[in-house]
Amino acid sequence: MGGYITKRLLAAIPVLLGLTVIVFVIMALIPGDPATAILGSYATPENVERLNSQLGLDKPLWHQYFIWLGNLLQGDFGRSYTLNRPVLDEVLERFSATLILAGTALVLCSLLGLVAGIVSAVRQYGWADKIITLVVLIGISTPSFWLGLILILIFAVELNWFPASGMFAIYGGGDLPDLLWHLFLPAVTLAAVATGVISRLTRTAMLEVLRQDYIRTARAKGLPENTVIYKHAFKAALVSIIPVIGIQAGFVLGGAVYIETVFQWPGIGSMLVKAISTRDLLLVQGGVLVVATAYVLFNLAADVVQTVVDPRLR
Amino acid sequence: MPGTIDAADPIKNRKPARPDSIRLLLNNQLATAGLLVFCLIVVLAIAAPLLPLGDPDATDLANRLLAPSAEEHILGTDSLGRDILSRLVWGTRVSLAVGISATLIAAFFGSLIGLVAGYAAGRTDTLLMRGIDMIMAFPYILLALAIVAVLGPGLLNALYAIAVVNIPFFARNIRGIALGLSRREFVDAARLSGKSNVQILFGEVLPNVLPVIIITMSTTIGWMILETAGLSFLGLGAQPPQADLGSMLGQGRKVLFTSPHVSIIPGLMIFALVMSINLLGDGIRDVLDPRLKSGSLTRPVARTAIERSFVPDVAALREDAILDIQGLRTEFRIGSEIYRAVGGVDLSIDKGECLGVVGESGSGKSVSAMSVMGLVPTPPGRITGGVALLGGEDLFSASNERIRQLRGAAVSYVFQDPLSTLHPLFRVGEQLVEAIQAHGSMTGSQAREKAENLLRMVRIPNPGERLKAYPHELSGGMRQRVSIAMALANDADVIIADEPTTALDVTVQAQILSLLDALRKQNNTGILFITHDFGVVSAICDRVAVMYGGKIVETGTTEEILAAPAHPYTAKLIDCVPVLGEPQRRLDAIEGRPPVVNNLPDGCAFAPRCFHARDDCRSGEIEMTMLGARRGVRCLFPLGEPKQVRETTKKGTR
Amino acid sequence: MGPALLSMDNVERVFGGGKTLLGRVLPAVHAVQGITLEVQRGETLGIVGESGCGKSTLARMLVGLDAPTGGSITFDGEDLAALARSDPRAVARKIQYVFQDPLASLNPRKTIRAILEAPLIHLLGMDRHRRGQRLEELMRDVNLTPEFLDRYPHEFSGGQAQRIGIARALAAEPELIVLDEPVSALDVSVQAQVLNILEGLKREFGLTYLFISHDLSVIESVSDRVAVLYFGNLVEIGSAASVFDSAQHPYTRLLLNSAPAPGRKSLAAEDAETELPDPFNPPPGCAFHARCPSRSNRCREQEPVLECATDDAHHRVACHHPNIRTTVK
């Protein structure tokens, strides 16, 4: 078990390195001269050349990669020219806001999705199943950014129950209830789609498992139906649900881009959108790297949970 | 050449496959609705240049932000005074085109990668899938953002970005299927027919993967439209003045509080489009996925439905019988077909007796056994007649809770494949303890001690350690011993063993058979033993019931039946298998096939394959003729002396 | 006996193994360990063994679907592995294969015509007209009506599908057919149909069969000679009569005594604790010694080689303590 976790951790290293390679290659593909981009179009050729050699841009590409990687490992992600502050500082600050939003949404969608999926499977073809199926279908067909707008219109503008944007109230906010109050609408919006996906999958997985021979064995032993469903079937279904929760984490992290823009949540998503339109590429690069790393680590955790549940994987 | 030309139609009422799929799709009301809405939207989008719509980009600042139903502007105008209806239709056109193109690009490259990786396996597979894993290591939209960041905002760039991030999705799905297919025997067969790798990949594997590609496309196209709309919403896709639904929504957001209709309308359009695609996609999936097609993905309930239209008068229970089944009928209803799997079966088992039920697949032997404790899956199964008396109590009128108490206590089961019948995620000890505690008030440690004793009883070496093992850590024989231990946990009166040794090797089978035999004598347990093998019957059964087409055709003691089978089917069944030590014996093949239970012939089900059949055999109900106290045969012209029987049948074949 | 049609010389197949990039040795399974045997033209050699004995691996190597990692297979004087690499179609023209699961071996999306035509096109290069005639012949050879040619596999029962599988193997006009458990997936009542057809075809076309099965009674009824496999090793080989009547290897005797037969009341069963050794970590000496009633220290240390144990020069056994006693039936 411990050996397995170590092995998984080690296996994550090449994945993380691969991430940096992809990001590096994408950035290297950018047309134009970074030095000019940094110094502006009025820079003198000498200045450009000096900066190029400072940045190591006159060296071969693979050499540049290792210089760049070395810098990353020392925490040097470069400076954002639009914000004029170190990229890492900005990214980490923004990322914590995203983590709060995405984390809440992930917990929300996992819980709701599991419950809805199980109810749906156990009451197959009953009214609860039909309602859940319909709601789920609507959920996965709705653009989340539009759902956000609608929720703002209803709950913030019309009913005035929740704030329309931001993470904290501008005056006198900053405590936990204030945060939760601001968090509610964006988290629900972000969770909506993933809830649908998880619930659908849970339903299918449960139905699939309930037809297995070992469920018949459990019944033949005379176990109460609740034990059969919530212990035997659910544990077996989890094996196919856990990886999907891992994938949904990626959708939630990515979906945060829209939701943060809609709700003006000061997270990494809205930062990225702004950075892309201002072509602040170092900021984009830093943001993408940090979020992708977090996602890899999360999936690593999902893998470990998976082996705890399924002894056949050890 | 022996035998005759086989021209019998294997399957009745053949229907061509293709119209069937479309009919199935249209049977699904939601999918049909989806199809209609989707077609409507597509037609609107295609016909956009022909419709009497204004220029979608013509600005008219005097008429900005008009509410819907304004004259000339049915859906109102946006912040630049452009007609929303016109922009909506043209925007839908763009969104659809982008979504479909992105899907096609992703499907093509993803499927190609998946096919090659799955078929080639080994290094190629590892290399390709590591690459795919790298792409998947990025949260979905993030990679698209990074790509757009590099390429610069623009509709075409958004299309590429969305296509690229969806390639892994196709590649993974298709690779899994292709990998499975490439290990299938028909691929080896094609190779042995002289086909090259390319011919096999595109001629044999691809046609089987195609449905999965279509399913994946139909379920992702909605996503793709949503995601491209999302990029446009963020201002990274369609650039003004061009508009797709996403950029319309993005622009509308700025005037959300004052003129909500500007953002609500395009959002509704995206929703309608994606919803219709998803409904249609689900419909297509249900039609193309054979598992769902047969309706098998329905959840079996805890106990078989009992709808008895016929309850026989319960004759006085024989004194020794512990389980007495009379007139049992079990049916499966699949679509409009009724499969009469069990059509009136009588069986009774005495204390400590082993009754063998012999038959081929589809004879109804397993269904009879599963019916006793209501383990036939419902839907589609239901018990439609008969009684099962356990010590005088009718199991078919007992409450669900009563049945639960009896299952695993008075009547326990041992199933065929011990790997699939034990729960893979629980230790065998936990599963045994659970069985013990379901029927008593033992503490955990008492139950564990009993579990250990049970493992010792089925002669598993080192039982204390084995309690901690998971099923996959045990060999097939050991797993079946665990299953038997579980069946013995509560001193059952009857064990129903459904082909318990069929999945095992001969040497292990001999071990399990002698173990079962010893245990039933030691505990005086009755066994209902289901098998297709007369050799196994000889080894363990006292009496035999032979089943054919859902009915018992012959019953008697093992010796009687082996020495002098009275039913022609029994005789043939014994004669058609090679017997160890008699290599020179000519195998007496039974021509034709076992009957299908949704289309049983009138009269004797065996008549079409029987050399003795006369006209009388083909009509009416053939009754069981009793030849002795517990010896009966369901045949109008039973066979006589054993020697003679073999002579006549042999003449018949030659 | 004349020159053998097929001979295997010390054939081995190891799965896995090798080293990782970091030099760690990966676990290896010796599926087939040094098998030497010959198949004569026109005979049926039965190969019998339980799961994990390597019989399917052996079969796949014979038809070129897999290659041995050691030793050599010679067919009619040619090295089979080399031929399979340079010209796999040449191997397919000489040796064909009948699969265990008849439905799985037919592509569900192809008609029977397309399936049977493939070897005619790719192996024999027949033109359209000749193919039409040949297809009808093939169907008749396996007692099926040619009208079935335009149907799809799912429309056939197991017995019919297996006959189509046999027709496909015949289509290539091979000299040797490897039959890998050809009847074990079939209902007992149709097994005999298939066995009888196989026997008739062999006589009519002078075929040579390598018949693999776990079912002793089937093997006994079809084979001229029998080879018994245990844990990747050939433990006994000889004429069917002599192996079945005077089995020499204790494993062969165990098999014979365990096999159920109508009328046989008690099966000699071993005690528990006695199953296959760990394939990743095979014991030294004889692979069967842990289960063997007449084992000695020698069995634990020294691997027995195949040698004559009776007067019959063709009946050989790999055992340190072969028993001449006739099997009790």
Side-chain angles (χ1 to χ4, degrees), chain A:
Chain A
M1 194 68 203
Y4 177 83
I5 295 174
T6 326
K7 225 160 70 187
R8 288 297 320 189
L9 275 170
L10 290 176
I13 292 173
V15 176
L16 289 173
L17 282 178
L19 278 184
T20 59
V21 172
I22 293 181
V23 170
F24 180 78
V25 169
I26 290 179
M27 291 301 148
L29 286 175
I30 294 171
D33 186 354
T36 322
I38 293 172
L39 297 173
S41 45
Y42 301 112
T44 61
E46 296 83 55
N47 279 348
V48 168
E49 201 161 305
R50 203 177 46 224
L51 188 66
N52 267 341
S53 82
Q54 256 177 23
L55 295 172
L57 292 174
D58 49 351
K59 302 212 167 67
L61 208 58
W62 63 268
H63 199 158
Q64 289 181 35
Y65 169 72
F66 283 107
I67 295 173
W68 176 77
L69 187 64
N71 289 340
L72 287 192
L73 291 177
Q74 289 165 29
D76 178 7
F77 282 59
R79 270 186 97 79
S80 154
Y81 81 92
T82 49
L83 304 170
N84 196 22
R85 70 181 290 208
V87 165
L88 194 62
D89 294 359
E90 172 74 8
V91 164
L92 288 182
E93 196 180 301
R94 293 287 198 137
F95 187 59
S96 54
T98 297
L99 216 52
I100 291 172
L101 174 60
T104 313
L106 192 64
V107 170
L108 214 59
C109 73
S110 304
L111 288 179
L112 285 176
L114 283 175
V115 170
I118 292 173
V119 170
S120 205
V122 171
R123 305 252 173 273
Q124 195 188 15
Y125 302 137
W127 61 266
D129 181 29
K130 282 179 182 151
I131 290 175
I132 289 173
T133 307
L134 186 72
V135 170
V136 159
L137 241 161
I138 292 174
I140 61 173
S141 307
T142 311
S144 56
F145 39 90
W146 182 65
L147 181 65
L149 293 180
I150 300 291
L151 291 185
I152 289 177
L153 270 182
I154 297 174
F155 293 100
V157 179
E158 291 296 322
L159 299 172
N160 207 10
W161 289 358
F162 295 100
S165 65
M167 191 166 167
F168 294 105
I170 297 165
Y171 302 108
D175 52 353
L176 189 65
D178 183 40
L179 174 65
L180 292 178
W181 190 52
H182 280 79
L183 186 58
F184 185 82
L185 283 185
V188 166
T189 315
L190 187 52
V193 176
T195 304
V197 176
I198 292 174
S199 134
R200 275 188 148 200
L201 184 101
T202 305
R203 180 178 188 269
T204 319
M206 284 294 284
L207 289 176
E208 188 71 39
V209 164
L210 281 165
R211 295 165 45 225
Q212 297 298 315
D213 284 352
Y214 49 79
I215 295 301
R216 185 183 58 184
T217 309
R219 288 187 174 137
K221 283 200 283 197
L223 297 183
E225 189 62 9
N226 280 342
T227 313
V228 173
I229 289 174
Y230 299 107
K231 185 176 167 191
H232 286 235
F234 180 62
K235 187 165 183 184
L238 264 186
V239 170
S240 42
I241 297 170
I242 291 169
V244 170
I245 292 184
I247 292 173
Q248 287 310 307
F251 280 85
V252 168
L253 273 173
V257 173
Y258 305 130
I259 303 307
E260 287 175 6
T261 307
V262 169
F263 289 91
Q264 289 164 30
W265 188 266
I268 211 159
S270 52
M271 178 201 86
L272 280 173
V273 174
K274 227 172 282 162
I276 290 173
S277 36
T278 53
R279 301 204 50 84
D280 188 347
L281 293 171
L282 285 179
L283 200 53
V284 175
Q285 170 189 296
V288 168
L289 270 175
V290 167
V291 178
T293 307
Y295 179 50
V296 169
L297 294 179
F298 181 82
N299 267 314
L300 190 70
D303 272 356
V304 171
V305 174
Q306 178 84 334
T307 40
V308 172
V309 174
D310 191 344
R312 291 168 298 184
L313 297 174
R314 280 171 215 161

